[in-house]
Amino acid sequence: FGIYIDNYSRDVVVEQNTVARSTIVGILFQNSTGSATDNVVYDNAEPEAWGTNLNLVGGPTDVALDGNVLFSLAPQQRTLSVDATGQLAGSAFNVFFSPHRAASIDHGGTARTLASWQSATGLDASSTAQWYTDPFPSLPRSQLFVNSTGIQVSIPVPGNVRTLANQPFTGPLVLA
C-alpha cells in the first residue's frame, strides 16, 4: 500500500502526493472520511496482480476527489474502485488514464469507462480519460519524473511529447 487510511479515521486530507508502484493499492480509504486532492497515483500493483490506484472500501466511507491523476499501466489495474457511489462526497477534475483498459473504474463490481461512470453516478463531468490505447503488453508511453534533490531541476524533453490532455509539450520540464 502507498497511503493507507484505516478504519474510522475522520477528515483525513491526502493532498499533493505522488504515489507510484505500490504493491496493490496507491491510496486506500477504508471505513474513513476525508479528501484526496491533486495527487499523482501511478502504476500501483505488482505485475499480473489486480490492483487499484485509488480505492474506497467499507462504510462509513465518505471521500471527496478533486484534481487527481490516476494512471494505470496494466489491464488488471483499476484507476478507481468504489463499493458504492455514496462513498463519494464529490468527484471532479480528475484524470482516469489506463491505456490498456478503457473500463478502468470499478463501481461496485462493474467495470466502467469514464463515460459510463459519469452516466451512472452524475460525478466527474469535468474529468478526463485516456486519449490513446495500447495492446498489452507493450512498453509504456508514459514516464514519471520525480525530483528528490531539493533544488530545481530542468530536464530537456526531446521528440514528440504530449501531455495527459493530449497537448504538445516542447519542454524543458522543470521540477521544483
Side-chain angles (χ1 to χ4, degrees):
F1 292 91
I3 298 174
Y4 190 112
I5 311 304
D6 207 358
N7 290 311
Y8 309 106
S9 299
R10 293 288 168 256
D11 302 323
V12 176
V13 176
V14 179
E15 185 174 69
Q16 296 182 344
N17 296 284
T18 299
V19 183
R21 299 183 181 99
S22 296
T23 57
I24 193 79
V25 174
I27 299 173
L28 172 72
F29 279 86
Q30 179 172 284
N31 300 314
S32 299
T33 67
S35 62
T37 306
D38 297 331
N39 298 287
V40 174
V41 193
Y42 183 86
D43 189 27
N44 286 280
E46 291 290 323
E48 306 303 320
W50 286 91
T52 304
N53 282 307
L54 204 154
N55 197 358
L56 308 179
V57 297
T61 297
D62 190 23
V63 179
L65 307 178
D66 186 47
N68 299 289
V69 174
L70 308 173
F71 201 114
S72 296
L73 285 181
Q76 70 277 13
Q77 291 178 7
R78 302 288 187 236
T79 52
L80 173 67
S81 181
V82 298
D83 289 339
T85 307
Q87 293 174 315
L88 284 166
S91 190
F93 300 103
N94 298 295
V95 177
F96 300 91
F97 214 101
S98 180
H100 303 298
R101 182 186 197 101
S104 70
I105 300 169
D106 174 33
H107 178 212
T110 300
R112 297 194 182 278
T113 64
L114 176 58
S116 69
W117 166 254
Q118 291 166 328
S119 176
T121 66
L123 298 168
D124 285 298
S126 55
S127 296
T128 59
Q130 68 276 359
W131 48 267
Y132 69 85
T133 58
D134 280 330
F136 186 80
S138 60
L139 293 175
R141 295 193 217 178
S142 63
Q143 190 168 353
L144 180 66
F145 293 91
V146 177
N147 178 8
S148 59
T149 67
I151 60 172
Q152 183 171 303
V153 176
S154 180
I155 301 169
V157 180
N160 183 16
V161 176
R162 304 195 75 76
T163 67
L164 287 174
N166 196 19
Q167 298 300 311
F169 182 79
T170 56
L173 179 62
V174 178
L175 302 176

